[in-house]
């Protein structure tokens, strides 16, 4: 059957026990991060199968999935909310909006807050990744925010920050610490990544970087596992001296 990750999702139903074992049909990424896969319609179709089966126990291949995507009732509303999100993204693509279009942080379906509260976290776990997948599959590699058109790399951004905006080691650490205090860990990580080549031997920058990636791991390790995994090589290679 179809699924949200690949087109070979496996379900094993034990009617007498009212148990349904499911493969990775509802991974938050809608496919592995490095592969051109993922199918939102396949995910919605798979949810229909779960709802029709009506198991008492829904067991996924990964414990965080079992915890967050736990019931047919919740999945039924999640399908409605994801269908609404798909239409919002389609409209944004038709308008030529960039991937990080302004309403992105507040794309809340009309019935979300009045429906089953169990759907809040599952919807938020899927929302950003669904937007990314839909953009990739609808737009291509040239996008409205110049992604794919410009060819700037980390060294160019480090040059901008250090040589033209006078970003010093002290100012970088202060900015990262302020971003972390405000909970803007992804933005802090982006700043560190853009300027890393100019401060790779700095102990104070290494300490600030370790703080940010520990916070990212703390934030994502139980809900968005690949984001958590991406932090670990940074922590291993950038421990304070």
């Amino acid at each position: 059957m179809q699924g949200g990750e690949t087109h070979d999702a496996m379900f094993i139903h034990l009617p007498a026990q009212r148990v349904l074992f499911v493969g990775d049909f509802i991974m938050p990424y809608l496919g592995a991060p490095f592969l051109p896969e993922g199918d939102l319609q396949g995910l919605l179709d798979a949810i229909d199968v779960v709802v029709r089966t009506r198991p008492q126990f829904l067991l996924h291949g990964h414990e965080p999935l079992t915890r967050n995507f736990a019931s047919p009732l919740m999945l039924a509303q999640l399908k409605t909310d994801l269908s609404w999100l798909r239409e919002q993204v389609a409209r944004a693509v038709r308008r030529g909006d960039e991937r990080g279009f302004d309403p992105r942080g507040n794309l809340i379906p009309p019935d979300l807050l009045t429906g089953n509260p169990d759907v809040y976290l599952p919807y938020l776990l899927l929302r950003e990744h669904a937007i990314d997948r839909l953009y990739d599959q609808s737009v291509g590699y040239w996008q409205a925010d110049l992604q794919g058109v410009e060819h700037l790399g980390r060294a160019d951004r480090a040059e901008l920050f250090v040589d033209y905006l006078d970003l010093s080691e002290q100012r970088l650490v202060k900015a990262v610490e302020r971003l972390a205090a405000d909970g803007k860990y992804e933005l802090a990580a982006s700043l560190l990544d853009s300027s890393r080549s100019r401060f790779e031997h700095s102990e104070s920058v290494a300490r600030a970087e370790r703080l940010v990636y520990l916070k990212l791991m703390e934030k994502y390790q139980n809900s968005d596992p690949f984001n958590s995994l991406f932090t670990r090589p940074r922590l291993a290679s950038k421990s304070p001296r």
Side-chain angles (χ1 to χ4, degrees):
M1 62 169 291
Q2 301 289 334
E5 184 170 45
T6 61
H7 291 166
D8 57 355
M10 178 181 292
F11 285 10
I12 300 176
H13 186 210
L14 304 178
Q17 288 76 30
R18 300 189 63 190
V19 173
L20 181 64
F21 293 96
V22 297
D24 296 341
F25 81 96
I26 195 169
M27 289 292 284
Y29 306 93
L30 294 181
F34 302 111
L35 299 175
E37 59 188 22
D39 182 356
L40 182 56
Q41 185 58 52
L43 169 57
L44 302 182
D45 293 342
I47 288 176
D48 285 340
V49 174
V50 176
V51 172
R52 287 197 304 269
T53 306
R54 298 177 61 187
Q56 181 179 359
F57 304 103
L58 182 61
L59 302 178
H60 299 255
H62 300 278
E63 190 276 333
L65 299 179
T66 298
R67 185 179 345 119
N68 290 302
F69 303 99
S71 75
L73 181 63
M74 181 277 292
L75 289 172
Q77 183 180 337
L78 181 62
K79 177 187 175 181
T80 299
D81 296 335
L82 290 175
S83 298
W84 176 88
L85 177 65
R86 177 171 59 182
E87 179 56 31
Q88 305 312 304
V89 174
R91 291 177 183 177
V93 169
R94 289 194 293 268
R95 290 193 303 264
D97 293 349
E98 64 179 79
R99 182 190 303 230
F101 59 100
D102 184 60
R104 178 181 180 131
N106 293 297
L107 281 173
I108 303 298
D111 67 340
L112 183 70
L113 298 181
T114 58
N116 184 354
D118 291 342
V119 82
Y120 297 169
L121 181 58
Y123 173 75
L124 292 175
L125 290 176
L126 277 160
R127 181 178 62 182
E128 306 302 313
H129 299 302
I131 292 171
D132 289 339
R133 281 293 182 187
L134 290 169
Y135 257 79
D136 281 341
Q137 293 170 353
S138 303
V139 177
Y141 69 94
W142 278 20
Q143 300 185 17
D145 60 355
L146 296 184
Q147 182 176 335
V149 179
E150 52 86 9
H151 302 287
L152 299 175
R154 291 187 181 93
D156 299 299
R157 294 185 177 87
E159 181 182 9
L160 169 65
F161 286 134
V162 177
D163 296 340
Y164 292 90
L165 296 178
D166 297 323
L167 181 67
S168 65
E169 177 181 338
Q170 183 179 6
R171 290 180 64 190
L172 173 61
V173 170
K174 185 176 180 179
V176 169
E177 290 175 345
R178 183 178 175 186
L179 287 166
D182 290 342
K184 298 182 182 294
Y185 309 126
E186 292 87 350
L187 192 56
S190 177
L191 175 59
L192 286 163
D193 189 59
S194 295
S195 54
R196 177 174 288 109
S197 63
R198 296 297 187 95
F199 302 104
E200 59 184 348
H201 300 299
S202 165
E203 292 187 10
S204 61
V205 172
R207 284 192 295 269
E209 184 176 54
R210 182 171 179 80
L211 169 66
V212 168
Y213 282 106
L214 282 172
K215 288 296 185 181
L216 283 169
M217 184 182 294
E218 180 182 276
K219 179 178 179 179
Y220 287 118
Q221 63 184 349
N222 290 322
S223 59
D224 210 343
F226 277 109
N227 276 352
S228 175
L229 288 172
F230 291 156
T231 69
R232 292 174 187 175
R234 300 283 192 207
L235 293 174
S237 61
K238 290 291 183 178
S239 299
R241 296 165 180 79

